[in-house]
Amino acid sequence: MQNIALWIAIIGAIIVALAFAKVIAQSGQTEAADLIAKRSYRWRARLFVATLVAGVVITGMTLTPFPHDVRAGEVTRVIDVKGRQWSWDVSDKSVKVGETIEFRVTAEDVSHGFGLYAPDGTMVAQIQAMPGFTNKARYQFTKAGTYRILCMEYCGLVHHGMTADIVASAAAPTL
Ligand code: CUA
């Protein structure tokens, strides 16, 4: 991803440099202003349409895997979460595998970010923790292990220390 960004930047810089070179090379020539305007405006319309199409396509593609409110079926239990400088108050820190939890997230002082990470380190749910609001994020726990809540928004000196663990244990066998 970093390499792709680097190449896009390099190619973009080359295109800009070529445009400058072309302008400098043609600076001695004269041409009627209305002809130049007509040609340029045609390009402006094309660029507008191309940018619009690219914007819609890129937005659609990148929003699909967004771990914001993953569809997780029927909610089996609610867990309340309150963020404050600099800890999480979690009403229950143990869940069973298979449970779909609705996290109701708020904050006591300033804005925080609730980010839920699976035992392998991938983010599986996230929502803003805001004073005066209760935001909901759902997640179905599919694997046993220790999940971790991290603060996703810089909130002061010990922002990095604002973590909490939720332990998912295997569901009790039905007899
Ligand atoms: Cu709370 Cu960063």
Side-chain angles (χ1 to χ4, degrees), residues 1 15 23 26 49 54 58 66 75 83 93 110 116 128 133 135 146 152 157 164 166 172:
M1 204 65 203
I15 290 169
V23 169
Q26 293 180 343
V49 173
I58 292 169
F66 197 56
V75 172
K93 288 183 174 177
V110 299
L116 182 68
Q128 193 85 8
F133 293 87
N135 296 324
T146 302
M152 306 309 298
L157 205 61
I166 290 183

Side-chain angles (χ1 to χ4, degrees), residues 18 20 30 42 56 61-62 64 72 82 106 113 115-116 121 162 175:
L18 287 175
F20 270 89
T30 53
R42 206 164 50 216
V56 170
M61 282 167 67
T62 51
T64 321
K82 189 185 273 183
T106 186
L116 182 68
M162 200 172 153
L175 299 172

Side-chain angles (χ1 to χ4, degrees), residues 28-110:
Q29 300 173 17
T30 53
E31 197 178 344
D34 55 339
L35 277 177
I36 297 172
K38 211 175 152 192
R39 237 179 10 234
S40 317
Y41 287 172
R42 206 164 50 216
W43 274 103
R44 189 166 70 171
R46 286 174 194 165
L47 276 173
F48 175 75
V49 173
T51 312
L52 195 71
V53 170
V56 170
V57 170
I58 292 169
T59 304
M61 282 167 67
T62 51
L63 276 184
T64 321
F66 197 56
H68 186 269
D69 190 13
V70 181
R71 284 176 208 288
E74 286 298 297
V75 172
T76 54
R77 207 148 57 86
V78 169
I79 290 181
D80 293 304
V81 179
K82 189 185 273 183
R84 73 169 70 86
Q85 289 165 313
W86 288 279
S87 61
W88 294 104
D89 189 353
V90 185
S91 67
D92 193 349
K93 288 183 174 177
S94 55
V95 299
K96 292 263 180 280
V97 169
E99 274 194 299
T100 297
I101 303 294
E102 182 172 281
F103 292 97
R104 297 203 178 151
V105 181
T106 186
E108 207 173 84
D109 37 29
V110 299

